Amino acid sequence: MTQAIPEYEVYAVKYAERLGSNHTTFVFKDIHDGPMPMDYFVWAIIGGGKTFIVDLGFDRRYARGERHLLRTPAEGLKFLDIDAAQVEEVIVSHMHYDHAGSLPDFPRARLYLQEDEMAMSTGHFMKYKAFRHGNFIEYTVDFVRAVYDDRVQYLDGTQTIAPGIELHRVGGHTHGIQIARVWTRSGWLVLASDAVHMYDNMNKQNPYPAVFNMRAMLDGFRDMQNLVDSPDRIIPGHDPLIIKNFPAASAKLEGKVVRLD
Amino acid sequence: MYIAPNTPPTGTPEYEVYAIKYGDHTRMRQDNFIFKDPHDEATTIDFYVWVITGGGRTFVVDIGFEEQEAKARDRQLHRLPSEAVRLVGVDPATVEDIIVTHLHYDHCGDMSPFPKARFHLQESEMNYATGKSMTHQPLRHAYNVDYVVNFVRAVYDDRVNFVDGVSELAPGIFVHHIGGHTAGIQSVRVWTRKGWLVVASDATHFYDNMAIPNPFPIVCHVGHMLDGYETLRGMAGGNVHNVIPGHDPQVLSLFPAASKELEGIAVRLDADPIGDLSKVWRES
């Protein structure tokens, strides 16, 4: 007897924004630099009686200049009637500050994390500013404490964590970054998080400059194609087109929350 | 098995090496061995830090635990590790190099009195102390998350020199990855007037763990622990008498006190032994 696989609803909740530029978004620079805004999201996967949150964004403890926090991830999830304090499952794509930041708002959550990601975030690569810059020590410490509190579910590679929800380690951007593949009414959807920052990083084969292993990042672009029926089912982690191209979750949530499935 | 060279290059300092006791605890002999021994009795486990001086430099090996942890685990703390090093003339505020053999609570806790120190640590130990192994209570038990967090912060403060395997930290001072007791434990090999001396730390807790051999029961990988005993022998150039266990009270009576006042507290490990080492190594 096979268990029915739920068709999950998937939402992107915008919680912050920043005015970047083409030169900060692509490895291969165009002579003509221009503005390239960047959105910051957390995602919610709802179905089969369960709620999975993907990533924890950052909170008010993180104060670095030009990133404008519109609302904390927990406040953003309230738009979907999700109470962060009650959330039990959080998938953490990677431990960069803008994805692993508001753990205290999710006191009951179990964290799905690749062990390689913790190894990078606490190991010798943190001596290089280029890598350390993406992490924030307070958030890293929150995660180490979560390990000792039995709240981290470590993964190594690919694993199905619920019927119709698979996590795949892709690496590239960081050593242990993972993506979520989710079954929906419109087929398989991939929440790529920062395995793909912007559509153009993947579509133009012009990667985002924050990269640990370029080969793995490019492999990831290719391998993700095999996890979906068409490339538009891959959802990048920071593209402002997400809010423009997908329908708002409701009229009131225009510009804040979109429905990806 | 690693065999150390007979002699290091000319000009390598002959270091002085001290073991200084900072605490102890009484428990049953059975608690120290994975394979039970018919003779059970109350035994003492000593807690040490070690100091290596020479060539104008000072290396501290491990920094023990502090009051809070002593209370939490009901261990006797006779003096803070940072106070213990003062007994042999080392000012913790000026120490620049600390070798951390592993991140168990009794080896890495008294960090704040050493503000200038850089910590030499195997990366595999940090991976172990923050990774999947720590989801197992028996492996996690000897770690203190606050101490681990202090070291993660030290990484971000550029105060950790991560080692992968073997590294020469100064002429005649090497660290060697051993594993076994924890995934990333390392031991220290140092050149002295009597040849290569091995500060094993918890690669062997007591003489008997390695001499019988009968491994210590807090262990990540028994095969690596047994292999580690062979590595320690090799590091000592085959002279097992120069291997110093990490917690054995006999160390304080086998080697001469650093001074008369330090009888029973601190010994000179690079000096000739005053006790019968062939007996503790079960050679006779």
Side-chain angles (χ1 to χ4, degrees):
Chain A
M1 209 173 79
T2 52
Q3 202 184 342
I5 296 179
E7 289 177 349
Y8 292 95
E9 297 174 11
V10 186
Y11 299 89
V13 179
K14 177 174 166 176
Y15 73 90
E17 63 190 7
R18 150 196 195 202
L19 188 65
S21 78
N22 278 321
H23 283 187
T24 59
T25 309
F26 299 102
V27 164
F28 307 114
K29 317 295 184 204
D30 198 296
I31 339 165
H32 309 289
D33 196 9
M36 180 77 205
M38 194 161 166
D39 280 355
Y40 294 77
F41 299 98
V42 294
W43 299 268
I45 302 169
I46 302 169
K50 295 186 97 170
T51 298
F52 294 82
I53 303 303
V54 180
D55 288 349
L56 295 168
F58 59 87
D59 61 12
R60 295 189 175 91
R61 284 179 290 167
Y62 181 90
R64 274 187 211 171
E66 72 274 29
R67 286 118 178 125
H68 181 48
L69 185 67
L70 302 164
R71 55 195 74 91
T72 65
E75 289 161 357
L77 290 169
K78 272 191 204 140
F79 293 141
L80 292 169
D81 289 324
I82 294 169
D83 178 3
Q86 300 303 320
V87 167
E88 294 185 352
E89 317 275 356
V90 172
I91 296 159
V92 182
S93 66
H94 64 306
M95 287 175 63
H96 276 173
Y97 79 92
D98 53 335
H99 296 263
S102 62
L103 189 54
D105 291 338
F106 296 79
R108 297 185 56 178
R110 178 158 58 143
L111 308 172
Y112 294 91
L113 181 71
Q114 295 283 333
E115 192 173 12
D116 284 342
E117 184 63 14
M118 178 62 89
M120 178 162 181
S121 299
T122 59
H124 86 274
F125 284 115
M126 287 301 110
K127 77 180 175 190
Y128 301 114
K129 286 211 175 69
F131 298 140
R132 185 164 75 205
H133 181 73
N135 285 55
F136 180 47
I137 178 65
E138 300 307 327
Y139 298 165
T140 305
V141 163
D142 284 348
F143 272 62
V144 173
R145 293 190 183 281
V147 173
Y148 283 70
D149 289 339
D150 275 330
R151 292 179 57 199
V152 174
Q153 176 75 47
Y154 272 121
L155 310 176
D156 174 20
T158 297
Q159 194 172 324
T160 300
I161 60 164
I165 303 180
E166 300 168 1
L167 304 183
H168 297 254
R169 176 187 174 279
V170 292
H173 174 56
T174 64
H175 189 39
I177 188 171
Q178 62 183 349
I179 58 104
R181 184 190 195 211
V182 185
W183 183 249
T184 71
R185 61 184 174 174
S186 50
W188 287 106
L189 185 80
V190 163
L191 293 176
S193 183
D194 291 2
V196 184
H197 286 73
M198 305 288 180
Y199 284 111
D200 277 352
N201 291 127
M202 181 168 66
N203 296 341
K204 296 187 173 168
Q205 293 286 297
N206 192 349
Y208 193 80
V211 56
F212 170 66
N213 178 338
M214 182 65 86
R215 154 82 194 267
M217 183 178 266
L218 295 168
D219 280 349
F221 290 165
R222 183 186 297 159
D223 294 344
M224 275 184 272
Q225 309 294 324
N226 297 324
L227 298 176
V228 290
D229 290 331
S230 73
D232 62 0
R233 308 305 296 154
I234 298 171
I235 308 299
H238 288 282
D239 204 315
L241 288 173
I242 298 292
I243 288 287
K244 292 200 179 86
N245 291 356
F246 287 91
S250 72
K252 265 196 236 162
L253 296 178
E254 203 76 52
K256 296 171 182 158
V257 183
V258 291
R259 179 105 184 241
L260 301 171
D261 60 306
Chain B
M1 178 165 97
Y2 178 82
I3 301 290
N6 286 335
T7 50
T10 335
T12 301
E14 290 177 353
Y15 292 94
E16 296 178 8
V17 186
Y18 300 88
I20 311 143
K21 173 173 168 171
Y22 72 89
D24 60 28
H25 180 61
T26 302
R27 59 189 202 168
M28 299 309 286
R29 181 175 157 86
Q30 300 285 25
D31 295 335
N32 298 333
F33 300 95
I34 206 167
F35 307 119
K36 297 310 171 197
D37 181 307
H39 312 288
D40 204 11
E41 58 183 352
T43 54
T44 301
I45 180 166
D46 277 356
F47 296 105
Y48 297 102
V49 293
W50 300 269
V51 168
I52 300 168
T53 60
R57 293 183 71 174
T58 296
F59 282 75
V60 171
V61 181
D62 288 349
I63 48 172
F65 52 76
E66 40 63 74
E67 295 101 337
Q68 224 179 333
E69 187 71 351
K71 206 171 287 174
R73 294 187 190 253
D74 192 24
R75 279 11 179 199
Q76 297 301 313
L77 180 67
H78 299 309
R79 57 197 66 84
L80 281 169
S82 52
E83 293 303 318
V85 301
R86 285 187 197 277
L87 299 177
V88 297
V90 173
D91 175 6
T94 64
V95 168
E96 294 183 356
D97 291 285
I98 295 179
I99 296 168
V100 180
T101 61
H102 61 308
L103 292 171
H104 274 172
Y105 81 93
D106 52 334
H107 294 264
C108 73
D110 192 23
M111 183 191 266
S112 58
F114 295 92
K116 284 192 166 167
R118 181 172 168 77
F119 303 98
H120 304 278
L121 179 71
Q122 295 280 333
E123 188 170 15
S124 51
E125 181 63 14
M126 179 60 91
N127 292 168
Y128 183 68
T130 61
K132 194 172 183 178
S133 298
M134 293 303 106
T135 64
H136 299 294
Q137 203 282 332
L139 302 181
R140 178 167 82 205
H141 180 70
Y143 288 87
N144 173 326
V145 67
D146 294 322
Y147 292 174
V148 174
V149 161
N150 288 340
F151 276 80
V152 174
R153 292 188 186 281
V155 173
Y156 283 62
D157 290 338
D158 276 330
R159 293 182 62 199
V160 175
N161 170 41
F162 277 117
V163 177
D164 175 17
V166 180
S167 181
E168 185 171 22
L169 302 179
I173 301 180
F174 291 77
V175 289
H176 293 247
H177 174 262
I178 306 290
H181 175 53
T182 67
I185 188 173
Q186 61 186 353
S187 299
V188 184
R189 172 164 64 94
V190 52
W191 184 249
T192 68
R193 52 173 287 280
K194 59 179 183 180
W196 291 109
L197 185 83
V198 176
V199 178
S201 179
D202 292 2
T204 184
H205 289 69
F206 296 91
Y207 283 107
D208 271 353
N209 291 120
M210 177 166 159
I212 295 175
N214 189 346
F216 194 75
I218 296 173
V219 56
C220 155
H221 192 300
V222 175
H224 293 169
M225 189 177 260
L226 290 165
D227 283 347
Y229 298 153
E230 295 303 306
T231 306
L232 295 175
R233 258 174 228 279
M235 287 166 66
N239 180 8
V240 77
H241 288 199
N242 281 355
V243 175
I244 310 298
H247 289 280
D248 201 316
Q250 296 178 93
V251 168
L252 291 180
S253 51
L254 288 166
F255 293 92
S259 69
K260 211 169 185 141
E261 305 78 61
L262 293 176
E263 202 81 51
I265 298 172
V267 289
R268 269 291 283 277
L269 300 172
D270 58 304
D272 292 329
I274 54 171
D276 186 356
L277 280 168
S278 61
K279 204 167 157 196
V280 296
W281 284 106
R282 295 172 174 256
E283 291 163 345
S284 50

